[in-house]
């Protein structure tokens, strides 16, 4: 691995959550804290909950019960709480402090203090009860990032219902698949939202999804654009919510009672509904924000995301539970111009900014000037998740946005994790594109093919014990959950990523293990090919897959998106192939370089390599509902002809 480019300083240590934990546990270093967290997990989680200020209606009598195995842990046995109470109880002592900031693409801004947010959530809770929604009922949140999106999620949790976040860009059929599986009774939606200056009509899709979902009885509609005409089974938010009382009781929930079903796409079969509970995901989100991102009270988190990706609920629940401020944005990151993201950061005093590597790659060609003309001096942490980095955009993010003073907290885990397995802490040096720690409380290892931990070589990323936030299985599909994560090694969670852990304690993700290539007996992560390809100045982005080869067993094919000023040619193909060979060695030179206009990606900017491989080989690509740009698949299919 490369050498570190960021080093700890007293400014980042003093007053931090880690400093408070060290003092509380009488430990003398971050390394000692991490070791304590995996050797004495129950004591670690008790201390974490205490310092996060988690409040219980009924105290738990046992931290952890694994009598059913690590696959089905029971956390905080006997305890009763409500995640909405823990997100909003700051209203008792800090009612006027900012809790939620929202900016619309059209420039509209909403600011809610903790007192105002708690009142809005209470009104929504009463409205939901009046519509017949109660404990255990499932409700689809088919919403863009609006203030009401966060309010609705908290209100549903307050009354003990279960929300199902659905990506606002889904077609009706994709939304209906999730609503049907969850047997949702209500859809909470909006008439539309702004995207690149245009009005996106969301209600039509919500109505079509409801028609395909027999369990759905009503729609509660936020009228973003005005007085849209509603059907008999549709209720306008503005006609039912504001009239409700501004206080409401919090339903006491068992620690393991579900509050959210969030769906992830599978390689085959229908999407998987991951089940998350009141004393899991919100605590894990807040703990990761504390121990990795060090979000403090009076600081503002802005993660560019959607509610249908776990980072949406993660940002809202984590930031509020800690007592910080969460910022939501409705629109495109570069509309009406390349300065939009950076102006948002300046305007609202953002201290913690999270972007995906793909978004950084898209913003970087727009130049440094849109960034530098805005005052980003309040930025204290940069965050990233979703996929492996390439070096050039990582360094641009660090130098141009972070001004060589702000650490990048790289973060990797998943929907089923409830947050991160790996991350960075400002208490250790940070190497480019990597992770300098497993998340405290997560006993992570890199395992070889026999299940033994290894260092300085590629292996399977695994978690050796349970943690709060771990999904409570898949909704109505326990065997699928066990087969997905627990079938490789006994009582070990195998995450599906290839990783390397060096002897200095730094990690690198090499890509999904089912994406990994094996060329002439050598395992190579697709990220290695892709990083090598983008070293060529003409290459904007790349995706590598393995295809069957009669001699090597497998050969590499690299799909390349060129920068706008360059055109495909045989000479360009050869030059890119030679660039890769120079980086990886002649034996790993790709079989083919294929030029495409775009790569298939999810809304959260993950490149779908398994879709690329299936499309190229003429196979069934599985569930495509998460794709933002399905037209990219057709271009790949055509490239194989």
């Amino acid at each position: 691995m490369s050498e570190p480019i960021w080093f700890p300083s007293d400014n980042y240590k003093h007053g931090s959550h880690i400093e408070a934990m060290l003092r509380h546990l009488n430990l003398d270093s971050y390394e000692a804290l991490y070791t304590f967290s995996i050797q004495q997990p129950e004591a670690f989680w008790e201390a974490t909950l205490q310092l996060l200020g988690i409040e219980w209606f009924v105290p738990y009598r046992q931290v952890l019960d694994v009598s059913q195995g690590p696959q089905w842990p029971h956390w905080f046995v006997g305890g009763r709480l409500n995640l909405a109470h823990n997100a909003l109880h700051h209203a008792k002592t800090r009612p006027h402090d900012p809790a939620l900031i929202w900016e619309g693409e059209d420039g509209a801004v909403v600011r809610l203090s903790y007192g105002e947010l708690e009142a809005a959530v209470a009104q929504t809770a009463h409205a939901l009860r009046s519509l017949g929604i109660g404990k255990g009922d499932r409700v689809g949140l088919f919403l863009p990032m609006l203030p009401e999106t966060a309010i609705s999620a908290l209100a549903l949790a307050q009354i003990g219902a279960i929300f199902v976040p659905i990506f606002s860009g889904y077609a009706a059929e994709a939304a209906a698949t999730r609503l049907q599986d969850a047997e949702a009774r209500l859809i909470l939606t909006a008439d539309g939202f702004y995207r690149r200056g245009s009005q996106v009509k969301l209600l039509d899709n919500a109505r079509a999804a409801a028609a395909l979902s027999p369990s759905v009885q009503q729609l509660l509609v936020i009228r973003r654009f005005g007085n849209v005409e509603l059907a008999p089974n549709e209720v306008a938010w503005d006609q039912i919510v504001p009239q409700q009382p501004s206080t409401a009781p919090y339903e006491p929930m068992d620690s393991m009672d579900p509050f959210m079903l969030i769906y992830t796409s599978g390689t085959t079969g229908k999407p998987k509904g991951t089940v998350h509970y009141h004393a899991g995901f919100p605590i894990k989100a807040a703990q990761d924000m504390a121990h990795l991102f060090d979000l403090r009270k009076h600081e503002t988190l802005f993660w560019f995301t959607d509610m249908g990706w776990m980072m949406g609920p993660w940002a809202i629940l984590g930031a509020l539970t800690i007592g910080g401020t969460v910022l939501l944005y409705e629109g495109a990151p570069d509309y009406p111009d390349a300065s939009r993201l950076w102006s948002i950061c300046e305007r609202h005093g953002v201290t913690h900014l999270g972007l995906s590597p793909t978004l950084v790659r898209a913003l970087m060609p727009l130049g440094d000037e849109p960034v530098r003309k805005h005052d980003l001096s309040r930025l204290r942490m940069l965050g990233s998740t979703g996929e492996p980095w390439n070096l050039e955009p990582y360094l641009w993010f660090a130098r141009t946005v972070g001004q060589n003073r702000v650490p990048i907290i790289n973060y990797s885990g998943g929907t089923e994790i409830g947050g991160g397995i790996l991350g960075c802490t400002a208490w250790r040096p940070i190497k480019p594109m990597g992770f300098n720690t497993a998340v405290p409380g997560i006993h992570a290892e890199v395992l070889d093919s026999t299940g033994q931990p290894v260092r300085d070589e590629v292996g399977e990323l695994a978690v050796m014990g349970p943690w709060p936030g771990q999904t409570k299985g898949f909704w109505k599909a326990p065997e699928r959950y066990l087969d997905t994560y627990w079938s490789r090694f006994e009582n070990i969670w195998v995450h599906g990523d290839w990783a390397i852990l060096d002897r200095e304690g730094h990690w690198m993700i090499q890509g999904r293990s089912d994406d990994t290539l094996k060329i002439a007996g050598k395992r190579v992560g697709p990220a290695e090919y892709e990083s090598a390809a983008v070293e060529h100045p003409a290459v904007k982005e790349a995706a590598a897959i393995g295809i069957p080869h009669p001699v090597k067993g497998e050969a590499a094919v690299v799909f390349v998106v060129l920068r706008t000023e360059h055109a495909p040619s045989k000479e360009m193909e050869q030059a890119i192939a030679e660039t890769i060979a120079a980086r990886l060695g002649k034996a790993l030179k790709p079989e083919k370089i294929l030029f495409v206009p775009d790569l298939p990606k999810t809304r959260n900017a993950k490149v779908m390599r398994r879709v690329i491989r299936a499309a190229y080989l003429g196979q069934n690509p599985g569930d495509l509902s998460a794709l933002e740009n399905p037209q990219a698949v057709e271009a790949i299919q055509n490239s194989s002809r």
Side-chain angles (χ1 to χ4, degrees):
M1 292 188 188
S2 57
E3 293 301 310
I5 64 165
W6 190 89
F7 295 89
S9 69
D10 288 342
N11 288 338
Y12 279 88
K13 291 182 177 182
H14 291 330
S16 68
H17 290 276
I18 292 295
E19 184 181 60
M21 279 290 282
L22 293 175
R23 187 179 299 118
H24 183 82
L25 295 169
N26 196 28
L27 299 171
D28 61 2
S29 68
Y30 175 82
E31 290 74 17
L33 173 62
Y34 177 76
T35 300
F36 180 90
S37 78
I38 62 173
Q39 291 183 349
Q40 300 186 56
E42 296 191 26
F44 169 78
W45 284 109
E46 282 205 290
T48 297
L49 265 58
Q50 183 176 341
L51 292 184
L52 288 176
I54 301 299
E55 296 183 356
W56 300 82
F57 301 133
V58 177
Y60 56 87
R61 62 178 183 271
Q62 182 181 350
V63 175
L64 175 62
D65 176 3
V66 288
S67 59
Q68 297 182 55
Q71 301 87 346
W72 308 104
H74 190 144
W75 285 96
F76 312 113
V77 180
R80 299 185 75 78
L81 76 169
N82 189 292
L83 72 86
H85 168 75
N86 278 297
L88 298 171
H89 71 83
H90 307 284
K92 291 183 295 187
T93 55
R94 301 163 49 218
H96 304 297
D97 284 359
L100 176 70
I101 301 170
W102 172 80
E103 182 166 312
E105 193 182 75
D106 60 347
V109 173
V110 172
R111 292 183 174 89
L112 295 176
S113 68
Y114 270 98
E116 291 167 333
L117 180 58
E118 186 178 44
V121 169
Q123 290 179 313
T124 307
H126 284 296
L128 290 164
R129 286 194 185 278
S130 75
L131 295 175
I133 301 301
K135 184 176 180 179
D137 289 332
R138 277 81 66 199
V139 173
L141 293 190
F142 196 13
L143 286 167
M145 282 307 215
L146 301 174
E148 294 88 348
T149 306
I151 291 167
S152 300
L154 291 165
L156 287 162
Q158 181 168 3
I159 65 175
I162 301 169
F163 67 81
V164 184
I166 298 171
F167 166 45
S168 57
Y170 276 154
E173 292 78 7
T177 298
R178 291 148 176 83
L179 295 165
Q180 293 164 9
D181 189 66
E183 297 178 298
R185 293 186 56 195
L186 173 76
I187 299 175
L188 236 160
T189 190
D191 55 357
F193 55 95
Y194 286 101
R195 186 75 176 178
R196 299 199 177 281
S198 299
Q199 292 186 358
V200 178
K201 308 294 186 182
L202 182 60
L203 185 54
D204 290 344
N205 275 351
R207 287 168 169 164
L212 295 170
S213 307
S215 61
V216 173
Q217 299 168 4
Q218 290 179 297
L219 284 75
L220 179 55
V221 182
I222 298 156
R223 297 197 281 196
R224 173 82 171 92
F225 300 142
N227 294 319
V228 62
E229 188 173 340
L230 300 181
N233 70 330
E234 297 171 353
V235 181
W237 176 284
D238 56 279
Q239 291 182 348
I240 189 174
V241 173
Q243 296 82 359
Q244 302 295 331
S246 59
T247 60
Y250 293 90
E251 184 73 26
M253 305 297 290
D254 183 83
S255 62
M256 299 298 291
D257 278 340
F259 77 91
M260 176 175 70
L261 298 181
I262 184 165
Y263 284 80
T264 65
S265 295
T267 304
T268 59
K270 65 182 182 180
K272 305 168 291 188
T274 62
V275 183
H276 290 287
Y277 42 94
H278 278 254
F281 184 106
I283 289 173
K284 169 69 170 160
Q287 182 245 340
D288 286 6
M289 272 188 210
H291 293 165
L292 300 181
F293 296 91
D294 193 38
L295 183 71
R296 307 179 192 181
K297 294 175 183 177
H298 309 294
E299 292 190 320
T300 300
L301 172 78
F302 173 29
W303 206 286
F304 188 83
T305 184
D306 185 90
M307 196 66 176
W309 184 28
M310 64 150 280
M311 297 305 291
W314 178 91
I316 294 166
L317 298 179
L320 295 177
T321 300
I322 275 185
T325 305
V326 62
L327 189 153
L328 309 179
Y329 171 58
E330 171 190 47
D334 55 353
Y335 184 87
D337 57 44
S339 292
R340 187 58 184 267
L341 266 187
W342 321 116
S343 70
I344 289 172
C345 292
E346 178 181 18
R347 190 158 45 250
H348 301 296
V350 171
T351 58
H352 291 61
L353 172 66
L355 305 178
S356 71
T358 292
L359 181 53
V360 173
R361 283 192 286 267
L363 294 170
M364 186 171 66
L366 303 178
D368 294 358
E369 181 57 26
V371 185
R372 289 179 174 159
K373 73 180 183 180
H374 291 284
D375 179 7
L376 302 182
S377 61
R378 292 196 63 185
L379 275 181
R380 200 169 69 82
M381 295 280 186
L382 297 175
S384 168
T385 193
E387 59 182 323
W389 277 98
N390 306 115
L391 184 59
E392 184 184 5
Y394 180 94
L395 294 177
W396 183 85
F397 196 34
R399 292 168 180 168
T400 302
V401 181
Q403 301 166 357
N404 286 327
R405 65 175 180 83
V406 179
I408 297 176
I409 307 300
N410 211 9
Y411 187 56
S412 183
T415 305
E416 301 90 331
I417 300 295
I421 297 175
L422 305 178
C424 290
T425 172
W427 283 65
R428 302 194 71 222
I430 296 174
K431 295 184 178 182
M433 306 182 292
F435 310 85
N436 66 11
T437 185
V439 180
I442 297 282
H443 183 184
E445 291 283 0
V446 175
L447 304 181
D448 65 15
S449 59
T450 67
Q452 296 303 306
V454 293
R455 299 290 183 269
D456 291 323
E457 62 180 86
V458 176
E460 290 273 9
L461 178 62
V463 184
M464 312 303 284
W467 65 96
Q470 173 184 333
T471 181
K472 193 179 175 181
F474 297 156
W475 184 252
K476 299 188 295 188
E479 292 305 319
R480 190 179 182 198
Y481 160 68
L482 294 173
D483 182 63
T484 302
Y485 292 108
W486 298 96
S487 59
R488 182 73 183 276
F489 304 119
E490 185 177 1
N491 291 333
I492 294 174
W493 175 291
V494 178
H495 193 57
D497 281 337
W498 286 118
I500 298 176
L501 171 58
D502 71 18
R503 298 184 186 279
E504 297 174 328
H506 292 262
W507 305 68
M508 291 287 288
I509 295 288
Q510 299 293 307
R512 298 295 294 172
S513 55
D514 51 6
D515 290 336
T516 299
L517 295 75
K518 193 171 184 180
I519 311 295
K522 178 179 174 56
R523 291 192 185 278
V524 187
E528 294 181 77
Y529 273 101
E530 293 154 10
S531 293
V534 298
E535 287 187 2
H536 191 286
V539 177
K540 179 183 177 184
E541 56 184 342
I545 63 166
I547 63 169
H549 190 277
V551 177
K552 299 177 182 178
E554 196 169 32
V557 175
V558 180
F559 292 84
V560 167
V561 178
L562 292 173
R563 299 185 187 275
T564 53
E565 63 270 25
H566 297 278
S569 67
K570 282 290 184 184
E571 293 75 18
M572 180 68 72
E573 179 182 339
Q574 182 64 25
I576 295 169
E578 292 297 336
T579 299
I580 295 171
R583 168 82 175 267
L584 301 184
K586 291 183 179 180
L588 297 177
K589 185 176 180 179
E591 191 80 3
K592 291 181 180 178
I593 302 291
L594 296 173
F595 299 104
V596 290
D598 201 2
L599 300 173
K601 301 186 187 82
T602 62
R603 168 65 172 160
N604 56 314
K606 285 187 179 180
V607 174
M608 299 289 278
R609 295 185 190 88
R610 57 104 175 156
V611 170
I612 295 172
R613 188 175 190 275
Y616 181 74
L617 295 176
Q619 300 170 347
N620 179 3
D623 176 34
L624 299 180
S625 60
L627 284 186
E628 185 177 38
N629 54 344
Q631 68 279 4
V633 178
E634 185 178 350
I636 290 164
Q637 291 169 332
N638 292 336
S639 72
S640 65
R641 294 170 185 159

